[in-house]
């Protein structure tokens, strides 16, 4: 079945460092790909998405490119801030699945130090 | 616009007891999802409603879990009897059909 694998955390960075969180997926159809973020004490929020190959999703300085050839959707940010400390989840929704449910990776905790 | 509301936020029960969680989706959202998030894992779909009909409950442990969405608005998820492995955060999400899912704050359940 469909699945998402993302790098284990925690990832600890200094402020203004470059961030990459790796995400790869397995899907039988043509999935849409998402990054969700969960700040401490808050619910899951959609950070960005891409619906087809070579699409780039971006928001709040974060970017991810849908790479069909490598089945990847890595999250990047050029300069992280302390306020970016959160848990990041990669997810897919298989367009061949009529329920459009989200399948999540296990999450990567990011800690940014001043 | 009000977000997805869930209650209670926290619940502690002993094994074999029953528990119920409530979710009020965003107004106008026909699709409602319940996810289970075990510590250290990503959320996993338990059940999805489209209005008051079930679209997907393939991963719902039906011997102990039940859910309903009367009148196609609010939803209740029940566990009876609870097991230790049911300790998790239960997330409710809603969306318009095929749209972005918006998540509530979750209910953290601890089973002792």
């Amino acid at each position: 079945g469909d699945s998402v694998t993302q790098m284990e955390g925690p990832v600890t960075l200094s402020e203004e460092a470059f961030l990459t969180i790796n995400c790869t997926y397995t899907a039988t159809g043509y999935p849409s790909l998402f990054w969700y973020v969960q700040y401490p004490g808050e619910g899951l929020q959609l950070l960005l998405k891409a619906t087809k190959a070579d699409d780039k999703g971006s928001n709040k300085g974060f970017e991810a490119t849908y790479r069909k050839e490598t089945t990847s959707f890595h999250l990047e940010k050029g300069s992280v801030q302390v306020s970016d400390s959160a848990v990041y989840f990669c997810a897919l929704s298989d367009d061949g699945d009529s329920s459009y449910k989200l399948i999540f990776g296990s999450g990567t905790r990011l800690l940014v130090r001043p | 616009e009000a977000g997805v509301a869930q209650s209670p936020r926290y619940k502690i029960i002993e094994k074999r007891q029953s528990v119920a969680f409530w979710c009020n989706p965003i107004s106008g959202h026909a699709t409602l999802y319940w996810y289970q998030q075990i510590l250290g894992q990503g959320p996993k779909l338990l059940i999805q409603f489209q209005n008051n009909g079930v679209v997907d409950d393939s991963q719902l442990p039906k011997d102990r879990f039940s859910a309903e969405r009367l009148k196609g608005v609010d939803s209740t998820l029940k566990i009876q009897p609870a097991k230790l492995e049911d300790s998790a955060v239960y997330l409710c999400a809603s969306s318009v059909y095929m749209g972005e899912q918006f998540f509530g704050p979750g209910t953290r359940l601890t089973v002792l």
Side-chain angles (χ1 to χ4, degrees):
Chain A
D2 296 352
S3 66
V4 175
T5 303
Q6 59 183 108
M7 62 188 290
E8 291 190 17
V11 174
T12 303
L13 296 173
S14 297
E15 204 165 24
E16 299 184 1
F18 184 86
L19 169 70
T20 299
I21 300 178
N22 291 336
C23 171
T24 57
Y25 68 89
T26 302
T28 53
Y30 301 93
S32 295
L33 301 174
F34 306 83
W35 278 100
Y36 278 81
V37 59
Q38 190 169 37
Y39 297 103
E42 299 184 17
L44 280 167
Q45 302 173 27
L46 179 63
L47 180 60
L48 54 83
K49 68 178 182 182
T51 58
K52 62 182 186 297
D54 300 324
D55 269 2
K56 177 185 284 188
S58 61
N59 186 25
K60 300 181 180 180
F62 290 89
E63 293 183 339
T65 301
Y66 189 141
R67 301 288 188 198
K68 188 177 179 181
E69 63 275 15
T70 55
T71 62
S72 65
F73 192 55
H74 304 321
L75 182 68
E76 297 182 336
K77 187 175 186 183
S79 177
V80 293
Q81 305 299 313
V82 172
S83 57
D84 294 326
S85 297
V87 181
Y88 293 82
F89 291 91
C90 186
L92 70 81
S93 176
D94 193 332
D95 293 353
D97 181 347
S98 60
S99 73
Y100 297 96
K101 64 177 178 284
L102 290 167
I103 295 172
F104 288 88
S106 57
T108 303
R109 181 175 300 278
L110 170 65
L111 176 61
V112 181
R113 294 180 170 164
Chain B
E1 176 181 277
V4 177
Q6 291 188 246
S7 67
R9 292 293 310 274
Y10 305 91
K11 189 73 177 179
I12 301 174
I13 62 173
E14 296 193 350
K15 60 183 179 184
R16 291 188 289 275
Q17 287 186 324
S18 62
V19 64
F21 313 126
W22 173 82
C23 173
N24 181 237
I26 292 173
S27 177
H29 282 193
T31 310
L32 185 147
Y33 308 79
W34 283 103
Y35 290 85
Q36 180 192 54
Q37 185 178 9
I38 294 173
L39 186 64
Q41 300 181 20
K44 181 186 77 174
L45 181 74
L46 291 176
I47 188 166
Q48 177 189 347
F49 293 94
Q50 180 68 23
N51 295 308
N52 59 353
V54 175
V55 175
D56 185 344
D57 64 356
S58 58
Q59 298 195 80
L60 186 73
K62 298 179 185 65
D63 57 335
R64 298 183 301 104
F65 285 65
S66 65
E68 61 183 9
R69 192 182 183 197
L70 300 176
K71 302 180 181 178
V73 182
D74 293 6
S75 178
T76 303
L77 177 69
K78 297 179 181 178
I79 308 175
Q80 182 179 11
K83 293 185 174 181
L84 296 177
E85 59 261 36
D86 298 332
S87 293
V89 176
Y90 291 85
L91 298 168
C92 180
S94 71
S95 73
V96 298
Y97 182 62
M98 293 173 56
E100 176 186 344
Q101 294 183 35
F102 293 84
F103 285 80
T107 296
R108 182 177 299 277
L109 173 67
T110 302
V111 182
L112 302 175

